[in-house]
Amino acid sequence: TDEIMQQEIRPLVAVDIIEQLHRQFAILSGGRGKDGAPIITFPEFAGFSDIPDEDFLNVVTYLTSIPSLEAASIGFIIIIDRRRDKWSAVKASLTRIAGAFPGNLQLVFVLRPSRFIQRTIADIGIKLYRDDFKMKVPIIMLNSVSDLHGYIDKSQLTRELGGTLEYGHSQWIHHRTAIENFAMTVKTTAQMLQTFGTDLAETELPNDVQCTEELLSAHTDHHSKLKDELKLAVKQGATLLTCIREPVTRSANSKLSPDELENVATVERLLAQLDETEKAFDQFWTKHHLKLEQCLQLRHFEHDFREVKLTLDNLMEAQAGFADIGDSVTRVEHLLREQKQLEEKGQEPLEKAQSLALHGEQLIQNNHYAVDSIRPKCVELRRICDDFTNETKKKYDILGKSLELHKQLDKASQWCEAGIYLLASQAVDKCQSQEGAETALVEIEKFLVTAKEHQLSNPKEFYNQFDMILTPEIKANAQRILQKLEDVQEMFDKRQVSLKKLAAKQTRPVQPVAPHPESSPKRASPKITRPAGGFFLCVHRGINRNTQGIPFFLSCVLCSTVGRHYNSPPFLSFSHIINELIETERVYVEELQSIIEGYASEMDNPNLVHLIPSALQNKKEILFGNLPEIYDFHNRIFLKEIENCIENPELLARCFLKRKEDLQIYEKYCQNKPRSEALWRQCGDSIFFQECQRKLDHKLSLDAYLLKPVQRITKYQLLLKEMLKCSKNSEGTAELEEALATVLDIIKSVNDSMHQIAITGYEGDVGELGKLLMQGSFNVWTDHKKGHNKVKDLARFKPMQRHLFLYTKMLLFCKKREENTDGHEKTASYSFKNSLKMSTVGITENVKGDNKKFEIWYNGREEVYIIQASSVELKNTWISEIRKVLTGQLEACR
């Protein structure tokens, strides 16, 4: 351990006693005895006896602390120069030195007074008082410096003592002060480096890019400052070393004294220590700096990963939204275009993900400390890219199969339509002759040659070929077309048989006769299906049939024998549809009447009261809802009005427009339907209902008939659509379109109301929120300015599933819940979460990065709700409605 570095155990340094040293009553000239003992000289000093004991002790103690331990252990040689003084001064000097000298003494030389009397007194005094000096070392009294030269070489003595040793007291003090300052500088610098190193070792690495950059910059700046301090210290030491060696440099004959050589060694040792400290610090800094740079690389990687991952998740979510495989060629082609757009949109994020994964692998290869964190992210990025690519290929495969399927179905359907048209176009009167029959046969045979080109393969092969995309709807459509193919083929077979008979023998022509009402086919009981989720509006064709898959008003064209119906028109007409509407309306009214009279009224029959379950007592209004009101409207008003349209079909659309408000009674009926069904599930198997059904001779139970109003409103929609097909670009088309829009609006209103009544947890009155304009499910992100940053970040990455209800005065956010009810189908409910007043909201129609997103913000964007629709069309519909509400409010304010 370097002695200079142990300054804390030394009580004194030169600067502490600088004034006492400058008085020069004791000096360490640098000379040495023959055995290397350090020499301390006490020059002639007039006021030596007046020096305070403390000052004397401090100087002597300091001087004895300068030589090396090895030299000090030999013992010090003291030279007391009192040649011009008195014996009393000699005695005082010896007494003070004997009592206060802190080091080991080897010899004491005294240059006695030169005056005769004082020399005599000194000789006598030394003999008398030697024991009083308490020195265990010899005291040699010398008469002159020549006597001293006999003990100590001249080269080790200063000029004052007749020697040749160069000594300047001021320079000596300057060197001592500089050496001690340099030692303190080295010590302070080492402590600063150690403190900085400790701080670096204890520093926790930040979790974000900005803080990591700031920490790296701060540590680098601090390191640069410490390096500057080191350079200054080294420069200081080098300058000091040059100053000490200056005599040797100036004159080749000069030599440094042992003390000066020790000073040189001390400075060199301090410089070496600085160099070692700097090397150790540089090694530590290199490791720490590398770790900080790797931390910054990691934080950039993590930040880029989060951004890319969010983009990829949105991409995968958008891809998952492409669940539709299309129900027609046009729809499938549209889906293929959308899939292509999504694929193109995903190219840039996928390239970024691949590039980021490659960057992560490079970090791993460069021995990054966070390998365990980087590798899973690289794997995740590649997995998502592979999933998207594979899923895209799968989507293309499925849509390609779907396109092929629907093209085959369309070809088959077109072949059937062409076949039906061919059969219908063969005039009956012309087929009565042999020539006419043969001509018709040739037409049929020629047409049947194209059958293999346009028909589907056999059902088993067809289902095997397209098994992966056969949804229940597509399968049902395929079965319908297959059945239609079979029916048309059967029709051709029977027509061929009839024509062959006519061709074989002449028969009397048969005159065409209009169909009689009684020949109309019997109505088939409609099959009742219920959609999942507990709501009741379903697409129910409801068209009476006598040939499977073919509406009854085409049945005359498809009859199996040549007869009276062949003069019927081959395409639909207004009269067919109006007749269908009127006929089914009459049946509907009759069914409502039978329900009211056969069930509702019987609940008040005293003879049947005992059969009614207790749970059903006084709950007729719950079970039947406003069914009497519906019956009264149709029986008294609506049926009569549409019957008046037989002669004037163009008035039909006006009936629906005129009765738009009256048809809203269906909304009330549907709103009550969940309560009615719950009550029916509880009491439906009671003897009372069985007895009523028996009396009415109904094949279906009451719950089937209670669905009739739900099916009826959908029936109107379908019939109006058929009428529009028959009246394209003709007079009255605009009114029909408006009538259809009215019915669709009623259906939407009914459907919305079914959702609205399932809202739970809203403390206010929903009826006070204005008209319900829209409702639907969305992904929702929230961003609150006052929220905690971590909460905000979490909210950005994870969407909430929310069902939104748009009223004219309020926007409600609810959470959809589904629960099984008594083992039946799931029932949806909507738990209220939040609401926004429409008078205080704003809307941002486009959100960068996703064309299906829009923003609704509140209180100057203090609260922002990012809403993602399932499609661009749905988003635009909602934006349009919200814009209408906001525009209406603005106009009202004006």
Side-chain angles (χ1 to χ4, degrees):
T1 304
D2 181 61
E3 308 103 52
I4 300 299
M5 290 301 295
Q6 302 299 321
Q7 290 294 321
E8 61 271 13
I9 66 173
R10 293 176 181 172
L12 294 172
V13 291
V15 73
D16 295 335
I17 56 172
I18 193 69
E19 292 182 2
Q20 293 89 325
L21 289 174
H22 274 297
R23 297 177 71 181
Q24 201 174 341
F25 60 81
I27 62 172
L28 184 68
S29 62
R32 298 292 174 95
K34 295 178 181 179
D35 55 358
I39 298 174
I40 295 178
T41 303
F42 288 88
E44 289 183 315
F45 190 82
F48 185 78
S49 59
D50 298 331
I51 296 172
D53 291 340
E54 182 181 359
D55 291 353
F56 176 81
L57 181 60
N58 285 341
V59 170
V60 174
T61 301
Y62 177 71
L63 294 178
T64 56
S65 68
I66 293 174
S68 65
L69 292 176
E70 181 182 358
S73 64
I74 298 173
F76 288 88
I77 295 174
I78 293 178
I79 298 175
I80 303 173
D81 186 4
R82 293 293 181 265
R83 286 175 292 174
R84 298 178 183 178
D85 217 330
K86 301 177 181 178
W87 158 245
S88 59
V90 174
K91 179 181 178 182
S93 299
L94 290 174
T95 302
R96 175 167 280 186
I97 292 171
F101 193 80
N104 295 327
L105 283 174
Q106 186 187 89
L107 284 174
V108 176
F109 293 102
V110 179
L111 286 171
R112 70 179 84 190
S114 58
R115 287 178 291 174
F116 177 78
I117 296 175
Q118 293 298 326
R119 180 181 300 177
T120 304
I121 296 171
D123 290 339
I124 297 171
I126 196 66
K127 293 177 182 179
L128 295 175
Y129 296 102
R130 181 181 296 274
D131 293 337
D132 295 341
F133 297 142
K134 299 179 182 179
M135 290 187 181
K136 296 180 181 180
V137 296
I139 300 175
I140 299 175
M141 301 294 290
L142 302 174
N143 293 324
S144 64
V145 292
S146 58
D147 294 339
L148 180 62
H149 296 163
Y151 295 95
I152 300 174
D153 191 87
K154 288 183 179 182
S155 63
Q156 302 300 316
L157 295 173
T158 60
R159 293 184 183 277
E160 288 77 6
L161 297 176
T164 60
L165 180 66
E166 295 290 340
Y167 175 79
H169 190 62
S170 297
Q171 186 183 44
W172 180 88
I173 292 175
H174 174 70
H175 284 178
R176 290 308 308 167
T177 306
I179 291 171
E180 289 168 359
N181 284 341
F182 180 54
M184 183 58 66
T185 300
V186 173
K187 178 181 178 181
T188 303
T189 303
Q191 288 175 342
M192 289 169 59
L193 294 178
Q194 183 177 4
T195 301
F196 182 53
T198 303
D199 291 342
L200 297 185
E202 295 176 352
T203 300
E204 293 186 6
L205 298 179
N207 292 322
D208 59 89
V209 173
Q210 183 179 352
C211 291
T212 307
E213 289 177 341
E214 291 174 354
L215 182 65
L216 179 59
S217 176
H219 282 189
T220 303
D221 290 345
H222 198 170
H223 170 261
S224 299
K225 291 177 181 178
L226 287 177
K227 290 291 287 185
D228 291 341
E229 294 287 341
L230 274 169
K231 289 179 181 178
L232 286 175
V234 171
K235 185 176 181 180
Q236 179 184 350
T239 303
L240 178 58
L241 198 60
T242 302
C243 289
I244 296 173
R245 288 174 173 170
E246 191 268 338
V248 178
T249 306
R250 187 177 65 249
S251 173
N253 297 325
S254 297
K255 291 183 180 179
L256 298 179
S257 69
D259 282 357
E260 289 175 329
L261 291 175
E262 284 190 359
N263 288 343
V264 169
T266 298
V267 175
E268 288 177 341
R269 192 162 55 247
L270 288 171
L271 285 171
Q273 183 176 338
L274 268 181
D275 184 60
E276 291 175 3
T277 302
E278 183 177 14
K279 287 179 180 178
F281 175 70
D282 286 344
Q283 290 177 357
F284 177 80
W285 168 252
T286 300
K287 293 179 182 179
H288 179 76
H289 188 259
L290 175 61
K291 191 167 187 178
L292 280 180
E293 287 184 331
Q294 288 186 342
C295 178
L296 183 59
Q297 292 171 347
L298 177 64
R299 299 304 173 234
H300 277 298
F301 178 79
E302 290 173 339
H303 177 267
D304 294 343
F305 172 79
R306 285 192 294 269
E307 288 188 345
V308 172
K309 178 72 163 51
L310 178 61
T311 305
L312 291 179
D313 286 345
N314 291 336
L315 201 62
M316 291 296 291
E317 186 177 346
Q319 189 181 61
F322 281 97
D324 189 5
I325 61 173
D327 55 4
S328 66
V329 172
T330 304
R331 177 61 178 164
V332 176
E333 289 175 344
H334 175 72
L335 290 173
L336 281 168
R337 287 194 296 272
E338 286 188 340
Q339 183 63 41
K340 182 65 177 176
Q341 291 173 358
L342 180 64
E343 184 183 19
E344 293 172 353
K345 179 183 176 183
Q347 286 305 309
E348 184 179 352
L350 289 176
E351 290 174 1
K352 285 184 179 179
Q354 294 287 2
S355 176
L356 186 60
L358 182 61
H359 176 59
E361 291 173 354
Q362 289 173 347
L363 292 179
I364 293 173
Q365 291 175 0
N366 293 334
N367 298 319
H368 197 286
Y369 71 86
V371 172
D372 293 339
S373 174
I374 296 172
R375 182 173 285 116
K377 292 179 174 62
C378 294
V379 173
E380 176 72 3
L381 289 173
R382 295 197 184 280
R383 181 193 65 76
I384 296 177
C385 291
D386 291 342
D387 287 350
F388 181 81
T389 303
N390 295 334
E391 193 64 24
T392 299
K393 185 178 181 302
K394 184 179 177 182
K395 293 284 187 186
Y396 277 128
D397 292 342
I398 291 176
L399 289 174
K401 283 281 187 183
S402 180
L403 184 62
E404 182 184 352
L405 165 67
H406 289 297
K407 282 183 177 179
Q408 289 193 33
L409 291 176
D410 283 357
K411 285 182 179 180
S413 182
Q414 290 167 8
W415 185 86
C416 289
E417 296 296 333
I420 293 171
Y421 182 77
L422 174 62
L423 292 175
S425 64
Q426 291 180 335
V428 177
D429 53 349
K430 293 182 180 179
C431 293
Q432 303 306 308
S433 66
Q434 183 178 7
E435 183 182 356
E438 288 176 348
T439 302
L441 275 172
V442 171
E443 290 176 348
I444 290 173
E445 289 170 356
K446 184 178 179 181
F447 180 78
L448 289 177
V449 171
T450 64
K452 291 184 179 179
E453 180 182 348
H454 297 290
Q455 292 184 54
L456 295 173
S457 57
N458 69 70
K460 185 174 182 181
E461 291 180 1
F462 172 79
Y463 291 136
N464 290 337
Q465 182 182 2
F466 297 106
D467 180 64
M468 64 184 293
I469 61 168
L470 280 178
T471 63
E473 294 79 8
I474 294 178
K475 190 171 183 179
N477 186 38
Q479 287 175 341
R480 180 180 65 79
I481 293 178
L482 287 171
Q483 183 63 49
K484 189 174 181 181
L485 277 169
E486 185 179 333
D487 292 341
V488 172
Q489 186 65 54
E490 183 181 354
M491 289 157 50
F492 272 111
D493 292 342
K494 291 181 179 180
R495 177 67 67 85
Q496 283 178 309
V497 170
S498 300
L499 290 174
K500 286 176 181 179
K501 289 179 181 179
L502 289 172
K505 67 173 184 177
Q506 290 292 332
T507 59
R508 177 171 60 86
V510 179
Q511 297 299 322
V513 181
H516 296 288
E518 62 270 15
S519 66
S520 297
K522 292 183 179 180
R523 304 178 184 89
S525 298
K527 293 182 180 179
I528 299 166
T529 59
R530 299 183 190 180
F535 299 117
F536 314 101
L537 292 182
C538 56
V539 178
H540 175 70
R541 297 289 299 176
I543 302 176
N544 295 327
R545 308 170 186 274
N546 69 343
T547 302
Q548 187 174 2
I550 309 298
F552 92 97
F553 42 77
L554 285 179
S555 60
C556 58
V557 179
L558 304 180
C559 62
S560 59
T561 59
V562 178
R564 59 191 178 189
H565 293 205
Y566 278 161
N567 282 341
S568 300
F571 299 107
L572 303 182
S573 66
F574 264 96
S575 59
H576 286 121
I577 300 172
I578 291 178
N579 287 336
E580 169 74 3
L581 175 60
I582 293 172
E583 182 182 358
T584 55
E585 185 74 12
R586 288 169 180 164
V587 173
Y588 176 55
V589 171
E590 291 173 1
E591 287 175 339
L592 294 182
Q593 183 180 7
S594 68
I595 294 170
I596 293 171
E597 293 178 353
Y599 287 98
S601 298
E602 288 297 292
M603 290 182 70
D604 298 325
N605 187 344
N607 297 325
L608 299 177
V609 170
H610 64 285
L611 299 178
I612 300 176
S614 59
L616 193 61
Q617 296 287 344
N618 301 320
K619 293 183 179 178
K620 181 169 66 174
E621 290 76 12
I622 295 177
L623 183 63
F624 296 98
N626 64 331
L627 195 66
E629 183 183 4
I630 294 174
Y631 166 70
D632 183 65
F633 166 69
H634 283 272
N635 181 52
R636 188 170 53 85
I637 300 173
F638 203 56
L639 175 58
K640 293 178 181 179
E641 289 184 352
I642 62 175
E643 283 178 338
N644 293 334
C645 297
I646 294 177
E647 300 299 330
N648 300 296
E650 67 278 2
L651 298 178
L652 180 64
R654 299 179 187 176
C655 290
F656 284 94
L657 296 175
K658 179 181 177 182
R659 297 302 172 186
K660 178 179 179 180
E661 298 298 327
D662 295 321
L663 288 169
Q664 295 293 335
I665 56 178
Y666 282 94
E667 182 176 338
K668 181 179 179 182
Y669 182 82
C670 291
Q671 287 179 349
N672 178 69
K673 200 69 181 68
R675 300 172 66 204
S676 173
E677 284 198 335
L679 188 59
W680 173 258
R681 287 195 295 268
Q682 188 177 359
C683 311
D685 57 353
S686 68
I687 299 175
F688 170 76
F689 291 118
Q690 295 174 11
E691 179 63 20
C692 293
Q693 184 177 347
R694 185 188 62 77
K695 287 182 180 180
L696 292 170
D697 195 24
H698 280 179
K699 294 181 180 180
L700 300 175
S701 58
L702 174 61
D703 63 327
Y705 289 96
L706 290 177
L707 274 176
K708 296 291 184 180
V710 181
Q711 298 164 348
R712 189 61 189 165
I713 196 69
T714 309
K715 174 74 171 181
Y716 293 145
Q717 168 200 353
L718 297 171
L719 290 173
L720 287 170
K721 283 183 177 179
E722 295 293 340
M723 294 187 74
L724 272 172
K725 290 179 182 178
C726 300
S727 64
K728 277 192 175 179
N729 302 322
S730 64
E731 186 177 354
T733 301
E735 285 189 330
L736 276 174
E737 289 177 345
E738 190 176 353
L740 176 59
T742 297
V743 173
L744 291 174
D745 187 55
I746 293 171
I747 292 174
K748 178 183 177 298
S749 178
V750 169
N751 196 35
D752 288 348
S753 69
M754 297 305 296
H755 290 274
Q756 176 179 276
I757 63 174
I759 296 175
T760 61
Y762 180 69
E763 296 182 357
D765 184 1
V766 176
E768 296 178 356
L769 303 182
K771 182 180 179 182
L772 177 60
L773 303 175
M774 300 285 287
Q775 56 82 26
S777 295
F778 298 86
N779 288 333
V780 178
W781 291 262
T782 61
D783 190 358
H784 299 270
K785 284 185 178 178
K786 295 182 179 179
H788 193 276
N789 285 339
K790 291 186 177 179
V791 176
K792 289 169 65 180
D793 290 342
L794 181 61
R796 290 193 191 99
F797 286 98
K798 188 175 181 182
M800 299 177 291
Q801 303 300 317
R802 290 291 182 264
H803 201 90
L804 273 57
F805 293 86
L806 176 63
Y807 295 87
T808 53
K809 297 181 180 179
M810 192 83 76
L811 177 64
L812 299 187
F813 290 80
C814 300
K815 184 173 183 179
K816 185 176 181 180
R817 305 181 188 278
E818 291 185 345
E819 300 177 355
N820 290 326
T821 307
D822 300 329
H824 292 76
E825 67 274 5
K826 290 183 177 180
T827 301
S829 65
Y830 302 95
S831 177
F832 171 75
K833 293 297 182 183
N834 193 17
S835 63
L836 300 177
K837 290 182 179 180
M838 293 304 295
S839 59
T840 58
V841 304
I843 183 171
T844 304
E845 299 184 7
N846 295 303
V847 175
K848 185 178 181 181
D850 193 336
N851 58 0
K852 292 187 291 185
K853 287 182 179 178
F854 63 97
E855 288 182 346
I856 292 179
W857 38 270
Y858 192 58
N859 283 347
R861 298 188 69 86
E862 182 177 310
E863 298 179 18
V864 179
Y865 297 83
I866 303 171
I867 300 172
Q868 183 186 56
S870 58
S871 66
V872 177
E873 293 77 9
L874 180 60
K875 166 197 163 182
N876 291 335
T877 302
W878 273 74
I879 287 176
S880 176
E881 286 296 328
I882 294 173
R883 194 188 298 118
K884 288 178 184 177
V885 173
L886 299 181
T887 303
Q889 291 175 350
L890 182 60
E891 291 176 353
C893 291
R894 288 173 177 169

